[in-house]
Amino acid sequence: MEDLITNEIAVQFYESQFCSIELPLQVHTYDIDIAHHVNNIVYLRWLEDMRSELFTKLDLLESLIALNYYPVVASCELKYKKQIKLMDRPIGKMFLESSSHGILIFKAEIRIDDKIAFCASQKCVIMDLKNNLMITDNIIKII
């Protein structure tokens, strides 16, 4: 397998709108906890929603499944900056920061009125469903 893409085209690819999404997120009454703000688990659901939307935009999930591969979240780093409450209108943004050796790094943030309320980094690995092994090739070149 060729070395990872490290030229200007790769940088443009990762920084392009093609590898990012922006979604309005809805706060439901059942998302609110006893302290009257969004429960921490909701942020994880929103990350899943954003990543799913990004995978759809990139046509990544369908391409991976056709190869009998599947993305799995290996780690997630969350930083809560500001409470989100019931009547807030959060906007979520996510982008693919990098892809290297079968590991995809996603960055996300959720804003309220242009102020960061939450940010996260997710590391996903690509698994081969046939033999349950991680794919270590550059996934961008595979698909």
Side-chain angles (χ1 to χ4, degrees):
M1 183 57 83
E2 296 177 56
D3 290 334
L4 296 175
I5 303 171
T6 57
N7 58 26
E8 290 178 32
I9 294 170
V11 171
Q12 290 171 357
F13 176 80
Y14 291 122
E15 292 177 348
S16 75
Q17 292 285 32
F18 181 69
C19 286
S20 66
I21 56 98
E22 181 173 317
L23 291 176
L25 303 169
Q26 190 169 4
V27 180
H28 299 280
T29 53
Y30 54 82
D31 294 332
I32 303 302
D33 64 17
I34 194 135
H36 303 288
H37 57 74
V38 170
N39 189 289
N40 290 353
I41 196 69
V42 175
Y43 294 89
L44 289 173
R45 186 183 74 225
W46 286 341
L47 286 175
E48 290 295 308
D49 292 344
M50 288 188 286
R51 199 179 64 256
S52 292
E53 185 68 27
L54 186 54
F55 269 66
T56 298
K57 183 178 181 180
L58 296 173
D59 195 27
L60 194 54
L61 190 57
E62 201 170 297
S63 300
L64 290 172
I65 289 174
L67 296 168
N68 211 29
Y69 296 164
Y70 195 78
V72 175
V73 176
S75 68
C76 194
E77 180 181 334
L78 314 171
K79 293 182 182 175
Y80 302 93
K81 304 281 191 176
K82 179 182 182 312
Q83 293 181 5
I84 297 178
K85 298 192 175 201
L86 182 60
M87 302 317 255
D88 288 336
R89 303 248 183 249
I91 301 293
K93 295 180 183 181
M94 180 175 271
F95 68 96
L96 175 62
E97 182 182 61
S98 65
S99 170
S100 176
H101 304 290
I103 298 172
L104 303 171
I105 306 291
F106 295 95
K107 297 289 183 175
E109 68 180 27
I110 297 173
R111 291 181 174 262
I112 301 290
D113 300 325
D114 289 331
K115 292 185 179 143
I116 295 176
F118 171 83
C119 55
S121 177
Q122 281 191 326
K123 183 186 293 186
C124 294
V125 296
I126 305 301
M127 299 296 292
D128 184 328
L129 293 173
K130 263 195 288 191
N131 57 24
N132 206 30
L133 293 174
M134 184 180 139
I135 302 302
T136 58
D137 295 333
N138 184 347
I139 200 64
I140 301 302
K141 288 185 178 182
I142 291 172
I143 58 172

